[in-house]
Amino acid sequence: MDEEHVYTVSELNRTARDIVEGGLGGVWVKGEVSEISHASSGHMYFTLKDAAAEVSAVRFRSRSPILSAIEPGSVVLAFGKVTIYEPRGRYQFVATLVQPVGAGVLQAAFERLKQKLHAEGLFDPEHKKPIPAYPTRIGVVTSPTGAALHDIVSVLSRRWPIAELLLFPSSVQGDTASEELVAALDRAIRFSQSEAPLDLILIGRGGGASEDLAPFNDERLARAVYASPIPVVSAVGHEIDFTITDFVADLRAATPTAAAELVTPHAADVAGRVTECVDRASRGLRGRLEENEMLLKASLRRPLFRTPSRLLETAEQRLDVQAATLARAPRRALERPRERLARLDAILRLSSPTRPLERGFSITYVDGASRPLRDARSVVPGTHIMTRVAKGRLMSSVEEVHEE
Amino acid sequence: MKIEETLEKLEKITSALEREDIPLDEAIALFEQGLELAASAKKALDEARLKISQVVEKAKGVLDLEPFDVS
Protein backbone atom coordinates (compact mmCIF):
# COMPACT_ATOMS: atom_id res chain seq x y z
CA MET A 1 0.00 0.00 0.00
CA ASP A 2 2.87 2.34 0.83
CA GLU A 3 4.20 2.25 -2.70
CA GLU A 4 0.70 2.81 -4.03
CA HIS A 5 0.39 6.47 -5.08
CA VAL A 6 -2.46 8.36 -3.48
CA TYR A 7 -3.86 10.99 -5.83
CA THR A 8 -5.24 14.26 -4.73
CA VAL A 9 -8.55 15.11 -6.40
CA SER A 10 -6.79 17.74 -8.47
CA GLU A 11 -4.17 15.24 -9.61
CA LEU A 12 -6.85 12.74 -10.46
CA ASN A 13 -8.76 15.18 -12.62
CA ARG A 14 -5.59 16.44 -14.31
CA THR A 15 -4.41 12.93 -15.08
CA ALA A 16 -7.81 11.86 -16.34
CA ARG A 17 -7.89 14.96 -18.54
CA ASP A 18 -4.46 14.14 -20.02
CA ILE A 19 -5.53 10.58 -20.76
CA VAL A 20 -8.84 11.60 -22.34
CA GLU A 21 -7.39 14.44 -24.42
CA GLY A 22 -4.37 12.44 -25.51
CA GLY A 23 -6.34 9.31 -26.21
CA LEU A 24 -9.06 10.69 -28.45
CA GLY A 25 -7.70 13.80 -30.17
CA GLY A 26 -10.00 15.65 -32.56
CA VAL A 27 -13.25 13.82 -33.31
CA TRP A 28 -16.45 14.33 -35.27
CA VAL A 29 -19.66 13.81 -33.34
CA LYS A 30 -23.13 13.70 -34.77
CA GLY A 31 -26.02 14.33 -32.43
CA GLU A 32 -29.14 16.27 -31.65
CA VAL A 33 -28.79 19.57 -29.86
CA SER A 34 -30.73 20.22 -26.67
CA GLU A 35 -30.59 22.74 -23.85
CA ILE A 36 -28.68 25.53 -25.53
CA SER A 37 -27.57 28.42 -23.37
CA HIS A 38 -25.67 31.44 -24.58
CA ALA A 39 -23.48 32.76 -21.76
CA SER A 40 -22.82 36.48 -21.53
CA SER A 41 -19.16 35.65 -22.19
CA GLY A 42 -20.24 34.64 -25.69
CA HIS A 43 -19.66 30.94 -25.13
CA MET A 44 -22.44 28.59 -26.14
CA TYR A 45 -23.20 25.68 -23.79
CA PHE A 46 -25.34 22.88 -25.09
CA THR A 47 -26.06 19.23 -24.77
CA LEU A 48 -25.59 16.73 -27.55
CA LYS A 49 -27.58 13.56 -27.39
CA ASP A 50 -28.80 10.56 -29.29
CA ALA A 51 -31.47 8.04 -28.36
CA ALA A 52 -29.44 6.47 -25.55
CA ALA A 53 -26.86 8.96 -24.26
CA GLU A 54 -25.89 12.58 -23.90
CA VAL A 55 -22.80 14.72 -23.39
CA SER A 56 -22.33 18.32 -22.28
CA ALA A 57 -20.70 20.48 -24.88
CA VAL A 58 -19.36 23.98 -25.21
CA ARG A 59 -18.28 26.18 -28.06
CA PHE A 60 -16.08 29.07 -27.07
CA ARG A 61 -16.67 32.54 -28.35
CA SER A 62 -13.39 32.83 -30.22
CA ARG A 63 -14.47 30.04 -32.55
CA SER A 64 -16.38 30.45 -35.79
CA PRO A 65 -19.46 32.67 -35.56
CA ILE A 66 -22.50 31.09 -34.03
CA LEU A 67 -25.00 29.89 -36.57
CA SER A 68 -28.47 31.18 -35.85
CA ALA A 69 -29.80 28.05 -37.49
CA ILE A 70 -28.73 25.88 -34.58
CA GLU A 71 -31.54 25.46 -32.11
CA PRO A 72 -32.83 22.74 -29.79
CA GLY A 73 -33.77 19.77 -31.91
CA SER A 74 -31.27 20.48 -34.72
CA VAL A 75 -29.15 17.57 -35.74
CA VAL A 76 -25.58 18.76 -36.04
CA LEU A 77 -22.19 17.55 -36.98
CA ALA A 78 -19.61 18.87 -34.51
CA PHE A 79 -15.85 18.72 -34.59
CA GLY A 80 -13.83 19.10 -31.40
CA LYS A 81 -12.07 17.30 -28.62
CA VAL A 82 -13.18 15.64 -25.43
CA THR A 83 -11.83 17.11 -22.24
CA ILE A 84 -12.42 17.17 -18.50
CA TYR A 85 -13.17 20.41 -16.71
CA GLU A 86 -10.85 19.92 -13.78
CA PRO A 87 -12.48 22.11 -11.09
CA ARG A 88 -15.68 20.10 -11.39
CA GLY A 89 -14.37 16.84 -12.68
CA ARG A 90 -16.88 17.20 -15.42
CA TYR A 91 -16.45 15.53 -18.75
CA GLN A 92 -17.36 17.68 -21.77
CA PHE A 93 -17.01 18.05 -25.48
CA VAL A 94 -15.33 21.27 -26.71
CA ALA A 95 -16.55 21.96 -30.21
CA THR A 96 -14.57 24.06 -32.66
CA LEU A 97 -17.08 23.60 -35.48
CA VAL A 98 -20.82 23.02 -35.32
CA GLN A 99 -22.82 22.77 -38.51
CA PRO A 100 -26.34 21.65 -39.22
CA VAL A 101 -26.27 18.26 -40.89
CA GLY A 102 -28.57 19.69 -43.56
CA ALA A 103 -25.90 22.18 -44.64
CA GLY A 104 -23.67 19.55 -46.16
CA VAL A 105 -26.63 17.98 -47.87
CA LEU A 106 -27.65 21.36 -49.35
CA GLN A 107 -24.13 21.98 -50.59
CA ALA A 108 -24.01 18.61 -52.29
CA ALA A 109 -27.41 19.22 -53.91
CA PHE A 110 -26.18 22.61 -55.13
CA GLU A 111 -23.12 21.05 -56.76
CA ARG A 112 -25.17 18.31 -58.39
CA LEU A 113 -27.67 20.80 -59.82
CA LYS A 114 -24.88 23.06 -61.02
CA GLN A 115 -23.17 20.15 -62.83
CA LYS A 116 -26.42 19.01 -64.38
CA LEU A 117 -27.48 22.42 -65.70
CA HIS A 118 -23.97 23.12 -66.89
CA ALA A 119 -23.94 19.85 -68.81
CA GLU A 120 -27.29 20.77 -70.37
CA GLY A 121 -25.83 24.05 -71.58
CA LEU A 122 -27.89 26.41 -69.42
CA PHE A 123 -24.79 28.45 -68.56
CA ASP A 124 -23.43 28.70 -72.12
CA PRO A 125 -22.12 32.17 -72.96
CA GLU A 126 -23.57 31.88 -76.49
CA HIS A 127 -27.06 31.71 -75.03
CA LYS A 128 -26.64 34.89 -73.02
CA LYS A 129 -28.67 37.77 -74.39
CA PRO A 130 -27.08 41.20 -74.79
CA ILE A 131 -28.13 43.87 -72.30
CA PRO A 132 -29.63 46.94 -74.03
CA ALA A 133 -27.54 50.10 -73.75
CA TYR A 134 -30.42 52.43 -72.91
CA PRO A 135 -33.06 50.44 -71.04
CA THR A 136 -36.21 52.47 -70.51
CA ARG A 137 -38.58 49.89 -69.07
CA ILE A 138 -36.97 47.76 -66.38
CA GLY A 139 -38.76 44.90 -64.64
CA VAL A 140 -37.66 44.08 -61.09
CA VAL A 141 -38.53 40.74 -59.49
CA THR A 142 -37.95 41.03 -55.76
CA SER A 143 -39.60 41.69 -52.43
CA PRO A 144 -41.60 44.94 -52.27
CA THR A 145 -40.22 45.58 -48.79
CA GLY A 146 -36.62 44.44 -49.16
CA ALA A 147 -33.30 46.25 -49.32
CA ALA A 148 -32.78 45.20 -52.94
CA LEU A 149 -35.71 47.27 -54.26
CA HIS A 150 -34.64 50.23 -52.17
CA ASP A 151 -31.08 50.07 -53.56
CA ILE A 152 -32.21 49.66 -57.17
CA VAL A 153 -34.63 52.60 -56.87
CA SER A 154 -31.94 54.85 -55.45
CA VAL A 155 -29.42 54.01 -58.19
CA LEU A 156 -31.96 54.49 -60.97
CA SER A 157 -33.20 57.80 -59.52
CA ARG A 158 -29.66 59.09 -59.44
CA ARG A 159 -28.23 57.69 -62.69
CA TRP A 160 -31.01 57.02 -65.12
CA PRO A 161 -34.35 58.49 -64.00
CA ILE A 162 -35.63 58.36 -67.57
CA ALA A 163 -36.32 54.69 -66.91
CA GLU A 164 -39.59 53.28 -65.74
CA LEU A 165 -39.38 50.64 -63.03
CA LEU A 166 -42.00 47.90 -62.91
CA LEU A 167 -42.00 45.82 -59.77
CA PHE A 168 -43.14 42.21 -59.91
CA PRO A 169 -43.42 41.47 -56.20
CA SER A 170 -42.38 38.10 -54.80
CA SER A 171 -41.12 36.84 -51.49
CA VAL A 172 -37.40 36.08 -51.61
CA GLN A 173 -36.93 33.72 -48.71
CA GLY A 174 -38.75 30.80 -47.18
CA ASP A 175 -40.20 27.59 -48.55
CA THR A 176 -42.49 29.14 -51.16
CA ALA A 177 -40.05 31.79 -52.36
CA SER A 178 -38.67 29.93 -55.39
CA GLU A 179 -42.18 29.15 -56.59
CA GLU A 180 -43.18 32.80 -56.14
CA LEU A 181 -40.07 33.98 -57.98
CA VAL A 182 -40.89 31.71 -60.92
CA ALA A 183 -44.47 33.06 -60.95
CA ALA A 184 -43.30 36.70 -60.74
CA LEU A 185 -40.82 36.17 -63.58
CA ASP A 186 -43.60 34.60 -65.63
CA ARG A 187 -45.82 37.59 -64.87
CA ALA A 188 -43.05 39.93 -66.04
CA ILE A 189 -42.69 38.04 -69.33
CA ARG A 190 -46.45 38.01 -69.92
CA PHE A 191 -46.64 41.71 -69.11
CA SER A 192 -43.85 42.40 -71.58
CA GLN A 193 -45.64 40.46 -74.31
CA SER A 194 -49.15 41.75 -73.75
CA GLU A 195 -48.86 45.22 -72.19
CA ALA A 196 -45.55 46.99 -72.72
CA PRO A 197 -42.21 45.45 -73.67
CA LEU A 198 -39.57 45.29 -70.94
CA ASP A 199 -35.95 45.96 -71.90
CA LEU A 200 -34.61 43.77 -69.14
CA ILE A 201 -35.47 42.12 -65.83
CA LEU A 202 -33.52 42.36 -62.59
CA ILE A 203 -34.10 39.47 -60.20
CA GLY A 204 -32.65 39.33 -56.72
CA ARG A 205 -32.61 40.20 -53.06
CA GLY A 206 -30.37 41.89 -50.52
CA GLY A 207 -27.57 40.12 -48.70
CA GLY A 208 -28.36 37.19 -46.44
CA ALA A 209 -26.96 34.04 -44.92
CA SER A 210 -26.33 31.23 -47.36
CA GLU A 211 -29.52 29.42 -46.38
CA ASP A 212 -31.49 32.59 -47.28
CA LEU A 213 -30.22 32.31 -50.84
CA ALA A 214 -31.67 28.83 -51.31
CA PRO A 215 -34.64 30.06 -53.41
CA PHE A 216 -32.12 31.30 -55.99
CA ASN A 217 -30.63 27.80 -56.24
CA ASP A 218 -33.90 26.32 -57.44
CA GLU A 219 -33.96 24.30 -60.64
CA ARG A 220 -37.36 25.57 -61.82
CA LEU A 221 -36.22 29.15 -61.36
CA ALA A 222 -33.01 28.40 -63.28
CA ARG A 223 -35.02 26.98 -66.19
CA ALA A 224 -37.44 29.93 -66.14
CA VAL A 225 -34.53 32.40 -66.27
CA TYR A 226 -32.94 30.44 -69.11
CA ALA A 227 -36.20 30.42 -71.09
CA SER A 228 -36.92 34.13 -70.63
CA PRO A 229 -37.08 35.99 -73.94
CA ILE A 230 -36.10 39.16 -72.05
CA PRO A 231 -32.53 39.57 -70.75
CA VAL A 232 -32.38 38.66 -67.06
CA VAL A 233 -29.79 40.15 -64.71
CA SER A 234 -29.22 38.47 -61.36
CA ALA A 235 -28.90 40.85 -58.43
CA VAL A 236 -28.49 38.63 -55.40
CA GLY A 237 -26.68 40.32 -52.53
CA HIS A 238 -23.67 38.18 -51.74
CA GLU A 239 -20.21 38.90 -53.02
CA ILE A 240 -18.49 35.61 -52.31
CA ASP A 241 -20.78 32.78 -53.31
CA PHE A 242 -22.65 32.26 -56.52
CA THR A 243 -26.20 31.05 -56.82
CA ILE A 244 -27.53 28.91 -59.67
CA THR A 245 -29.50 31.97 -60.82
CA ASP A 246 -26.19 33.85 -61.17
CA PHE A 247 -24.81 31.19 -63.51
CA VAL A 248 -27.86 31.04 -65.73
CA ALA A 249 -28.65 34.79 -65.87
CA ASP A 250 -27.59 36.81 -68.90
CA LEU A 251 -25.57 39.04 -66.60
CA ARG A 252 -24.59 38.58 -62.96
CA ALA A 253 -24.01 41.40 -60.49
CA ALA A 254 -22.71 40.95 -56.96
CA THR A 255 -25.37 43.16 -55.38
CA PRO A 256 -28.64 44.83 -56.38
CA THR A 257 -26.84 48.20 -56.38
CA ALA A 258 -24.15 46.87 -58.72
CA ALA A 259 -26.80 45.37 -60.98
CA ALA A 260 -28.63 48.68 -61.36
CA GLU A 261 -25.35 50.44 -62.12
CA LEU A 262 -24.24 47.82 -64.64
CA VAL A 263 -27.38 48.02 -66.75
CA THR A 264 -27.82 51.80 -66.96
CA PRO A 265 -25.82 54.62 -68.50
CA HIS A 266 -25.39 57.83 -66.54
CA ALA A 267 -27.82 60.50 -67.75
CA ALA A 268 -25.05 63.13 -67.64
CA ASP A 269 -22.88 61.06 -70.02
CA VAL A 270 -25.76 60.70 -72.43
CA ALA A 271 -26.42 64.45 -72.32
CA GLY A 272 -22.72 64.95 -73.07
CA ARG A 273 -23.00 62.72 -76.10
CA VAL A 274 -25.94 64.79 -77.36
CA THR A 275 -23.95 68.01 -77.02
CA GLU A 276 -21.03 66.43 -78.85
CA CYS A 277 -23.29 65.41 -81.72
CA VAL A 278 -24.62 68.95 -82.09
CA ASP A 279 -21.06 70.22 -82.04
CA ARG A 280 -19.98 67.87 -84.79
CA ALA A 281 -23.11 68.55 -86.82
CA SER A 282 -22.48 72.29 -86.56
CA ARG A 283 -18.93 71.87 -87.85
CA GLY A 284 -20.20 69.68 -90.66
CA LEU A 285 -22.79 72.21 -91.75
CA ARG A 286 -20.26 75.00 -91.57
CA GLY A 287 -18.13 73.11 -94.05
CA ARG A 288 -21.10 72.89 -96.39
CA LEU A 289 -21.72 76.62 -96.00
CA GLU A 290 -18.15 77.45 -96.94
CA GLU A 291 -18.40 75.32 -100.02
CA ASN A 292 -21.62 77.02 -100.90
CA GLU A 293 -19.94 80.37 -100.44
CA MET A 294 -17.47 79.43 -103.15
CA LEU A 295 -20.20 78.36 -105.49
CA LEU A 296 -22.05 81.59 -105.00
CA LYS A 297 -18.92 83.57 -105.63
CA ALA A 298 -18.38 81.73 -108.83
CA SER A 299 -21.84 82.49 -110.13
CA LEU A 300 -21.83 86.04 -108.91
CA ARG A 301 -18.73 86.69 -110.94
CA ARG A 302 -20.99 86.80 -113.97
CA PRO A 303 -21.49 90.43 -114.95
CA LEU A 304 -25.16 90.33 -114.08
CA PHE A 305 -24.35 89.77 -110.40
CA ARG A 306 -21.40 92.09 -110.01
CA THR A 307 -21.80 93.98 -106.77
CA PRO A 308 -20.00 96.98 -105.26
CA SER A 309 -17.05 95.67 -103.26
CA ARG A 310 -17.89 97.56 -100.06
CA LEU A 311 -21.15 95.73 -99.76
CA LEU A 312 -19.28 92.46 -100.24
CA GLU A 313 -16.83 93.26 -97.49
CA THR A 314 -19.62 93.94 -95.05
CA ALA A 315 -21.28 90.71 -96.04
CA GLU A 316 -18.02 88.81 -95.58
CA GLN A 317 -17.59 90.12 -92.10
CA ARG A 318 -21.07 89.17 -91.10
CA LEU A 319 -20.60 85.71 -92.48
CA ASP A 320 -17.43 85.22 -90.43
CA VAL A 321 -19.18 86.31 -87.26
CA GLN A 322 -22.16 84.09 -87.93
CA ALA A 323 -20.09 81.06 -88.83
CA ALA A 324 -17.92 81.41 -85.73
CA THR A 325 -21.00 81.72 -83.55
CA LEU A 326 -22.49 78.66 -85.13
CA ALA A 327 -19.38 76.58 -84.52
CA ARG A 328 -19.03 77.29 -80.85
CA ALA A 329 -22.62 77.65 -79.73
CA PRO A 330 -24.28 74.25 -79.73
CA ARG A 331 -25.96 74.99 -76.44
CA ARG A 332 -27.68 78.09 -77.72
CA ALA A 333 -28.52 76.22 -80.85
CA LEU A 334 -30.21 73.62 -78.74
CA GLU A 335 -32.39 76.11 -77.01
CA ARG A 336 -33.82 77.76 -80.06
CA PRO A 337 -33.59 75.56 -83.12
CA ARG A 338 -35.99 77.68 -85.13
CA GLU A 339 -33.99 80.79 -84.43
CA ARG A 340 -30.81 79.01 -85.45
CA LEU A 341 -32.37 78.05 -88.71
CA ALA A 342 -33.38 81.64 -89.39
CA ARG A 343 -29.80 82.64 -88.72
CA LEU A 344 -28.54 80.02 -91.16
CA ASP A 345 -30.80 81.42 -93.84
CA ALA A 346 -29.32 84.83 -93.15
CA ILE A 347 -25.83 83.43 -93.51
CA LEU A 348 -26.71 81.96 -96.85
CA ARG A 349 -28.25 85.15 -98.11
CA LEU A 350 -25.23 87.14 -97.03
CA SER A 351 -22.67 84.76 -98.44
CA SER A 352 -19.91 86.76 -100.00
CA PRO A 353 -19.14 85.95 -103.63
CA THR A 354 -15.41 86.59 -103.89
CA ARG A 355 -13.13 85.51 -101.14
CA PRO A 356 -12.33 81.79 -101.47
CA LEU A 357 -11.42 82.09 -105.14
CA GLU A 358 -9.16 84.99 -104.26
CA ARG A 359 -7.50 82.85 -101.64
CA GLY A 360 -6.57 80.44 -104.41
CA PHE A 361 -9.47 77.99 -104.39
CA SER A 362 -11.01 76.96 -107.65
CA ILE A 363 -14.11 75.16 -108.81
CA THR A 364 -14.13 72.59 -111.56
CA TYR A 365 -17.04 71.61 -113.76
CA VAL A 366 -17.30 68.87 -116.30
CA ASP A 367 -17.83 70.83 -119.48
CA GLY A 368 -21.50 71.66 -119.79
CA ALA A 369 -22.50 70.36 -116.33
CA SER A 370 -24.18 72.75 -113.93
CA ARG A 371 -22.94 71.16 -110.69
CA PRO A 372 -19.31 71.25 -109.63
CA LEU A 373 -17.12 68.19 -109.88
CA ARG A 374 -16.76 66.43 -106.50
CA ASP A 375 -15.43 62.99 -107.32
CA ALA A 376 -12.43 62.17 -109.50
CA ARG A 377 -14.15 58.96 -110.49
CA SER A 378 -16.82 60.86 -112.40
CA VAL A 379 -14.32 61.77 -115.14
CA VAL A 380 -12.05 59.69 -117.35
CA PRO A 381 -8.88 60.65 -119.23
CA GLY A 382 -9.99 62.84 -122.10
CA THR A 383 -13.02 64.39 -120.36
CA HIS A 384 -13.16 68.13 -121.01
CA ILE A 385 -13.38 70.18 -117.85
CA MET A 386 -13.76 73.86 -117.04
CA THR A 387 -11.99 75.32 -113.99
CA ARG A 388 -13.06 78.61 -112.55
CA VAL A 389 -10.37 80.60 -110.72
CA ALA A 390 -10.50 84.08 -109.17
CA LYS A 391 -9.78 85.74 -112.47
CA GLY A 392 -11.05 83.87 -115.48
CA ARG A 393 -11.49 80.23 -116.34
CA LEU A 394 -9.39 77.40 -117.74
CA MET A 395 -10.51 74.85 -120.24
CA SER A 396 -8.59 71.56 -120.04
CA SER A 397 -8.88 67.89 -120.63
CA VAL A 398 -8.15 65.21 -118.06
CA GLU A 399 -4.91 63.28 -118.52
CA GLU A 400 -4.95 60.92 -115.55
CA VAL A 401 -7.41 60.08 -112.80
CA HIS A 402 -6.10 59.26 -109.33
CA GLU A 403 -8.70 57.94 -106.95
CA GLU A 404 -8.02 58.60 -103.29
CA MET B 1 -39.85 58.06 -79.29
CA LYS B 2 -37.51 56.15 -76.96
CA ILE B 3 -34.32 57.90 -75.97
CA GLU B 4 -32.24 55.24 -77.72
CA GLU B 5 -34.00 55.88 -81.01
CA THR B 6 -33.52 59.64 -80.62
CA LEU B 7 -29.80 59.17 -79.99
CA GLU B 8 -29.40 56.84 -82.95
CA LYS B 9 -31.11 59.28 -85.30
CA LEU B 10 -29.01 62.13 -83.97
CA GLU B 11 -25.81 60.14 -84.54
CA LYS B 12 -26.90 59.29 -88.05
CA ILE B 13 -27.63 62.91 -88.90
CA THR B 14 -24.33 63.99 -87.43
CA SER B 15 -22.38 61.48 -89.52
CA ALA B 16 -24.30 62.54 -92.60
CA LEU B 17 -23.42 66.19 -92.02
CA GLU B 18 -19.78 65.24 -91.56
CA ARG B 19 -19.69 63.62 -94.99
CA GLU B 20 -19.24 65.99 -97.88
CA ASP B 21 -21.73 64.65 -100.35
CA ILE B 22 -25.02 66.18 -99.27
CA PRO B 23 -26.52 69.13 -101.13
CA LEU B 24 -26.72 72.21 -98.96
CA ASP B 25 -30.49 72.49 -98.72
CA GLU B 26 -30.62 68.90 -97.52
CA ALA B 27 -27.83 69.54 -95.03
CA ILE B 28 -29.73 72.46 -93.54
CA ALA B 29 -32.89 70.41 -93.22
CA LEU B 30 -30.90 67.64 -91.54
CA PHE B 31 -29.24 70.08 -89.19
CA GLU B 32 -32.57 71.47 -88.14
CA GLN B 33 -33.87 67.98 -87.55
CA GLY B 34 -30.76 67.18 -85.52
CA LEU B 35 -31.24 70.23 -83.33
CA GLU B 36 -34.80 69.24 -82.63
CA LEU B 37 -33.77 65.70 -81.72
CA ALA B 38 -31.01 67.02 -79.47
CA ALA B 39 -33.40 69.42 -77.78
CA SER B 40 -35.95 66.69 -77.16
CA ALA B 41 -33.28 64.30 -75.82
CA LYS B 42 -31.93 66.95 -73.45
CA LYS B 43 -35.39 67.84 -72.31
CA ALA B 44 -36.26 64.20 -71.66
CA LEU B 45 -33.03 63.71 -69.68
CA ASP B 46 -33.42 66.92 -67.69
CA GLU B 47 -37.03 66.44 -66.76
CA ALA B 48 -36.94 62.70 -66.10
CA ARG B 49 -38.26 61.41 -62.78
CA LEU B 50 -38.11 57.68 -62.08
CA LYS B 51 -41.57 56.17 -62.47
CA ILE B 52 -42.33 53.17 -60.29
CA SER B 53 -45.32 50.89 -60.44
CA GLN B 54 -46.05 47.31 -59.59
CA VAL B 55 -47.71 44.61 -61.60
CA VAL B 56 -49.96 42.25 -59.69
CA GLU B 57 -52.22 39.44 -60.76
CA LYS B 58 -55.48 39.71 -58.83
CA ALA B 59 -57.43 37.30 -60.95
CA LYS B 60 -55.80 34.47 -62.86
CA GLY B 61 -54.33 35.81 -66.06
CA VAL B 62 -55.29 39.44 -65.38
CA LEU B 63 -52.34 41.74 -64.87
CA ASP B 64 -52.99 45.02 -63.04
CA LEU B 65 -50.62 47.95 -63.04
CA GLU B 66 -50.71 49.82 -59.75
CA PRO B 67 -48.81 52.85 -58.54
CA PHE B 68 -46.09 51.87 -56.09
CA ASP B 69 -44.84 54.18 -53.41
CA VAL B 70 -41.30 53.66 -52.17
CA SER B 71 -40.86 55.15 -48.78
Side-chain angles (χ1 to χ4, degrees), chain A residues 136 165 167 275 280 288, chain B residues 2 18 22 42 51 53 55:
Chain A
T136 46
L165 187 159
L167 171 67
T275 306
R280 281 164 50 205
R288 316 283 312 117
Chain B
K2 289 179 88 172
E18 284 176 330
I22 305 173
K42 285 262 188 158
K51 267 202 298 185
S53 20
V55 179

Side-chain angles (χ1 to χ4, degrees), chain A residues 136 161-163 165-169 187 190 199 273 275 277-278 280 282 284 288 292 334 338 341 348, chain B residues 2 11 14 17-18 22 24 28 31-32 38-39 42 48-55 57 63 65 68:
Chain A
T136 46
I162 207 165
L165 187 159
L166 291 157
L167 171 67
F168 296 86
R187 220 182 309 141
R190 278 186 289 137
D199 293 310
R273 193 181 136 193
T275 306
C277 273
V278 173
R280 281 164 50 205
S282 304
R288 316 283 312 117
N292 187 72
L334 259 185
R338 294 258 167 222
L341 187 68
L348 293 177
Chain B
K2 289 179 88 172
E11 284 279 9
T14 301
L17 285 170
E18 284 176 330
I22 305 173
L24 187 64
I28 289 172
F31 186 69
E32 183 198 29
K42 285 262 188 158
R49 298 282 301 217
L50 182 66
K51 267 202 298 185
I52 306 171
S53 20
Q54 69 173 339
V55 179
E57 188 166 18
L63 298 175
L65 191 64
F68 185 84

